[in-house]
Amino acid sequence: MNNASSKQRVLLNPRTKIIMSGLFASIMLIAGCDQQSTPESTPDTSTADKTGNTTVADQRGSPDQLESAKSSVNIVNDWINNAIISAAKEIETLSNAGDAFYNTPSEQTLEQLKNAWVNAHTEFSKTAPVFSLAHASPDLFYSLRQWQNLLDAHPVQPGYLDSFDVYTHSGIVNDTLLSINAETIRNQHQLTHSDEIALGFHAIEFLVWGENSNRDLNLFIAEGNDSSAAEKPENRRRELIRLLSLLLLDDFQLLQSQWQKSTQQQLSRLSPLSQAQLWKQAITHFWQEYSVKQIANNDDDIHNPFSGQSFDEFLAMNANTLQGILSLSATHDTSLYSQATTKKLSELITEFQTVILPASTTETTSSTQLDSSTDEVPEENKNEEVLADSADSTLQGQREKLSQDIYRLLNTGV
């Protein structure tokens, strides 16, 4: 495949899928109910705005309410726009690092690739409230859920991508009948099941770090220079990383274009009060999904299990996102939250961060001690383990209470 045709497939395929999905949804909705909006249609701007799960009955409001709503919307939009621009920049750096590692595999380029992935995913995580708009108003913003599935689908099924455990010849990397090009890999993404992930951050994550989070450089460099070397798994693994990094960049740039040219236009057609209500629902849903539910499930391997990010670091990353949005409205009342509510939320988030961040160090130390222990555990170590279990239980309770307190305040304002 030449570069021009490859680039064309990269750019057109995800958009084609999403547009076709939107067209099919439009046909079905028109057949069933002419009044219902679709993600690509012009939203209903009558007095009672339909915004998914919640109907905002009085969208006109007083002049003060409208001014407050406009201020709220501008605050969130500015923050999200900056987050999207920053994420695009870091994802481009990741794509360049994938290309550099493919062309010149070395310890240095591998480390640069890992750092680029961490930075890109951290910046991308700040855009999570955007995707929560799909929950706040499925009719208007369903396509955002599809973009999220291309960019950040997880958890991956390792054996679908590469060798795993005793399955040394499994996955796309080892299947030489599968060409590593944009069209083939896109078609493999969630081919028969949602965990058959072949695109996005977490497919790249597993390929780079491997199942034990320490994939050696020699697993990316095949021996020999003959024509068959390209089909060896070491080189295919490196080639797949480069391709997935490029696809990630192309997909995110398409999302960025849709956000600027379409999604923001859809939002602007709604009243300021309806927009503010949508953003409040989206922010609340973001915290519920990425904090409250994860903590309740005690999902210690959530999201980035291979790159070495701990569960608590993941929680702290999302708390930083929420704190960043709230900090912009801390000096005056808005339609999202009053000054008093914003101050209380900020205090709770700060307390939440102080609770979870030290735990990451504690958990790492504990696991290291257990790994280095002998079969016969000394009595003093047993006592330490009991104390550690008790501390973990206390920590879990603190996590749950603080995350739920933040959610309640986000949801009700009191």
Side-chain angles (χ1 to χ4, degrees):
M1 183 192 313
N2 60 48
N3 291 338
S5 62
S6 173
K7 188 69 172 179
Q8 185 179 33
R9 271 193 290 268
V10 170
L11 291 173
L12 294 183
N13 195 40
R15 176 181 286 163
T16 301
K17 289 183 179 180
I18 291 174
I19 289 176
M20 291 303 295
S21 174
L23 289 173
F24 177 75
S26 299
I27 293 169
M28 296 301 292
L29 287 165
I30 290 170
C33 177
D34 289 339
Q35 299 300 316
Q36 191 170 7
S37 300
T38 68
E40 299 300 326
S41 66
T42 301
D44 181 2
T45 56
S46 61
T47 301
D49 267 344
K50 294 180 180 179
T51 56
N53 296 332
T54 301
T55 299
V56 182
D58 183 10
Q59 70 158 344
R60 292 168 294 181
S62 68
D64 286 346
Q65 287 175 320
L66 286 174
E67 189 61 34
S68 177
K70 288 178 183 177
S71 175
S72 302
V73 170
N74 289 337
I75 285 170
V76 178
N77 282 344
D78 287 348
W79 198 92
I80 292 296
N81 285 333
N82 289 334
I84 289 174
I85 291 170
S86 180
K89 180 181 177 181
E90 293 298 337
I91 292 172
E92 183 174 9
T93 300
L94 171 60
S95 180
N96 292 337
D99 196 55
F101 181 61
Y102 176 79
N103 291 318
T104 313
S106 67
E107 293 290 354
Q108 181 180 4
T109 54
L110 178 58
E111 189 64 23
Q112 289 171 345
L113 176 62
K114 290 178 178 180
N115 291 335
W117 186 95
V118 170
N119 292 337
H121 189 266
T122 298
E123 292 305 307
F124 173 79
S125 72
K126 296 176 184 177
T127 69
V130 168
F131 302 105
S132 288
L133 282 172
H135 171 83
S137 181
D139 290 347
L140 291 179
F141 305 115
Y142 178 77
S143 65
L144 291 173
R145 194 172 296 174
Q146 296 172 293
W147 282 115
Q148 187 178 31
N149 196 47
L150 290 173
L151 297 164
D152 201 44
H154 65 281
V156 301
Q157 183 184 112
Y160 187 70
L161 286 166
D162 203 344
S163 55
F164 180 73
D165 197 19
V166 298
Y167 305 102
T168 56
H169 296 91
S170 67
I172 294 170
V173 165
N174 292 283
D175 187 352
T176 56
L177 296 178
L178 286 176
S179 299
I180 296 180
N181 58 58
E183 183 177 13
T184 299
I185 299 305
R186 287 197 184 282
N187 288 337
Q188 292 298 309
H189 184 59
Q190 299 180 330
L191 183 63
T192 65
H193 193 274
S194 61
D195 66 1
E196 293 176 345
I197 293 167
L199 294 171
F201 274 106
H202 300 289
I204 299 170
E205 178 192 12
F206 176 69
L207 290 168
V208 171
W209 274 275
E211 62 184 293
N212 296 317
S213 302
N214 60 350
R215 183 163 273 166
D216 194 81
L217 179 64
N218 62 22
L219 295 176
F220 297 102
I221 305 174
E223 295 181 1
N225 296 311
D226 56 18
S227 58
S228 65
E231 293 304 308
K232 292 182 178 180
E234 294 86 352
N235 287 340
R236 281 175 60 87
R237 185 174 294 119
R238 207 168 74 249
E239 184 180 4
L240 186 54
I241 290 171
R242 177 177 70 162
L243 175 62
L244 293 188
S245 300
L246 174 61
L247 293 175
L248 179 69
L249 175 62
D250 287 338
D251 287 349
F252 191 81
Q253 288 177 336
L254 284 174
L255 168 65
Q256 184 178 18
S257 177
Q258 176 181 310
W259 172 255
Q260 294 169 343
K261 297 178 181 179
S262 175
T263 309
Q264 284 190 311
Q265 293 299 316
Q266 286 178 300
L267 279 166
S268 68
R269 294 188 188 107
L270 302 173
S271 75
L273 287 172
S274 295
Q275 292 182 62
Q277 180 70 6
L278 274 174
W279 275 122
K280 186 172 182 178
Q281 292 174 4
I283 292 168
T284 302
H285 177 262
F286 154 72
W287 184 256
Q288 181 183 35
E289 290 295 313
Y290 286 87
S291 179
V292 176
K293 287 186 177 180
Q294 306 300 346
I295 292 172
N297 295 333
N298 203 17
D299 235 342
D300 284 345
D301 60 350
I302 185 65
H303 220 81
N304 306 331
F306 306 110
S307 63
Q309 184 186 52
S310 72
F311 182 50
D312 294 300
E313 289 168 336
F314 171 75
L315 294 174
M317 183 173 66
N318 294 310
N320 287 336
T321 296
L322 181 57
Q323 189 78 287
I325 295 174
L326 293 174
S327 66
L328 298 176
S329 59
T331 58
H332 58 285
D333 291 345
T334 68
S335 291
L336 294 178
Y337 313 104
S338 67
Q339 274 186 268
T341 299
T342 301
K343 181 181 178 181
K344 181 61 177 175
L345 279 167
S346 180
E347 291 171 352
L348 285 172
I349 294 168
T350 299
E351 184 180 357
F352 179 76
Q353 290 170 318
T354 59
V355 165
I356 60 177
L357 285 178
S360 303
T361 305
T362 301
E363 289 170 2
T364 303
T365 303
S366 297
S367 63
T368 303
Q369 290 172 343
L370 290 175
D371 289 342
S372 62
S373 63
T374 60
D375 292 336
E376 184 177 348
V377 181
E379 190 63 32
E380 58 270 22
N381 284 6
K382 291 181 180 179
N383 293 334
E384 289 178 4
E385 289 177 23
V386 171
L387 291 173
D389 289 341
S390 177
D392 287 344
S393 177
T394 301
L395 172 64
Q396 178 65 6
Q398 290 176 311
R399 282 173 173 169
E400 290 183 357
K401 183 180 185 306
L402 286 168
S403 67
Q404 290 168 1
D405 286 348
I406 293 169
Y407 172 73
R408 174 181 52 76
L409 206 53
L410 287 170
N411 196 36
T412 66
V414 293

